[in-house]
Amino acid sequence: MTPEAFFETHPQVAVALSGGTDSAYLLYLAARYAGRVRAYFVFGAFQTPRDAEDARAVCRELSVGLTVVPVDVLAVPAVVSNPADRCYHCKKLLFTALRTAAERDGFQVLLDGTNASDDLADRPGMRALAELGVLSPLRLFGLTKTEIRARAHEAGLPVWDKPAAACLATRIPTGEVITSEKLAAVREAEEALALLGFSDFRVRRGADGGAKIQICREQFPLALEKRRQILRALRGSFSSVVLDLGGRDE
């Protein structure tokens, strides 16, 4: 299916915008081919201020209206207890809120940025999207992550080269209770690494309360160069700081 055919069938759409490349490109297509479109960004404890800023930047670039939908994910026991299917419960909560907001504005069709590279078998949250009737056009178009990034670059989208980033809850070990304090520690640690020049990385909390840093192998020399700054930034919130020698590449 082509974008033209899809949006001819669905001329009025709400787009769940995450602040990342995939949903930004989807919004670009919707703005180009749909008759009426609005973006919806859900903001809670698992999203970062950077994601919100990027979502706003994309909407400004495309001249598309944006609605920010606040959701208190930490008020839901099935999410906070962090079970193996936490993503299902979280997605159900978030997209129910997004759908409610979209329907209030007159939109019956809600879209998300799942693409042809996403492994649905390993993403329990996709079950929630199916139950809620959320459509994933990029997957229908057969577009992979690499293709989307290249097309987003051609379209001049400000987030075309933004590294893929799962929500902050993925930094907490499965089965460990998620708290605002743990999330804040991870968020602040990743903000510190970004200021030190790192890109495409994760700071994961270990079961012992330590921090495991995952960076691309080409940035290992930078980690050695910035070793003292990293320790100063992270030691106050974590019991230990280690570098994953497997890196983000493995």
Side-chain angles (χ1 to χ4, degrees):
M1 178 178 285
T2 65
E4 295 92 333
F6 178 86
F7 288 108
E8 182 176 350
T9 304
H10 305 287
Q12 299 189 55
V13 296
V15 177
L17 189 63
S18 68
T21 307
D22 297 338
S23 61
Y25 184 65
L26 174 60
L27 186 64
Y28 165 80
L29 293 177
R32 183 173 182 181
Y33 296 113
R36 178 171 174 251
V37 59
R38 188 170 183 84
Y40 293 81
F41 176 82
V42 64
F43 192 73
F46 296 167
Q47 285 71 46
T48 69
R50 167 69 186 278
D51 292 331
E53 292 169 8
D54 287 342
R56 292 188 180 95
V58 168
C59 288
R60 284 195 299 270
E61 178 71 23
L62 299 176
S63 298
V64 173
L66 173 66
T67 296
V68 177
V69 183
V71 178
D72 186 5
V73 291
L74 297 183
V76 181
V79 174
V80 173
S81 60
N82 202 15
D85 63 347
R86 180 208 70 248
C87 190
Y88 166 78
H89 299 288
C90 187
K91 287 280 189 183
K92 192 71 175 284
L93 172 70
L94 300 185
F95 275 81
T96 295
L98 290 175
R99 178 170 284 290
T100 299
E103 290 180 348
R104 189 181 302 124
D105 292 336
F107 294 100
Q108 299 303 313
V109 178
L110 178 60
L111 313 179
D112 94 302
T114 302
N115 63 64
S117 297
D118 292 324
D119 182 4
L120 302 192
D122 191 40
R123 302 184 71 179
M126 296 302 102
R127 178 163 58 96
L129 300 190
E131 291 175 359
L132 292 170
V134 178
L135 302 182
S136 303
L138 299 180
R139 190 170 183 82
L140 293 176
F141 304 155
L143 293 177
T144 65
K145 182 71 176 182
T146 300
E147 292 170 328
I148 292 168
R149 194 174 295 283
R151 295 188 182 197
H153 188 198
E154 292 174 1
L157 296 178
V159 295
W160 74 268
D161 60 345
K162 183 177 179 179
C167 81
L168 289 176
T170 62
R171 317 296 201 270
I172 312 297
T174 299
E176 181 177 330
V177 173
I178 299 173
T179 67
S180 58
E181 291 77 16
K182 293 173 185 176
L183 293 171
V186 169
R187 182 185 301 110
E188 291 167 6
E190 294 193 346
E191 289 174 354
L193 289 188
L195 290 174
L196 290 174
F198 293 94
S199 60
D200 195 9
F201 59 86
R202 299 283 189 275
V203 176
R204 301 193 184 278
R205 176 186 167 87
D208 62 350
K212 179 170 70 173
I213 300 173
Q214 295 176 320
I215 58 177
C216 296
R217 281 176 288 182
E218 59 266 25
Q219 290 199 313
F220 280 6
L222 180 61
L224 292 177
E225 176 189 340
K226 303 288 187 178
R227 173 180 170 275
R228 292 186 182 278
Q229 293 98 311
I230 294 171
L231 290 175
R232 280 199 297 269
L234 273 63
R235 269 184 172 165
S237 301
F238 298 94
S239 60
S240 62
V241 180
V242 299
L243 176 65
D244 183 351
L245 294 180
R248 288 278 294 146
D249 312 282
E250 298 180 2

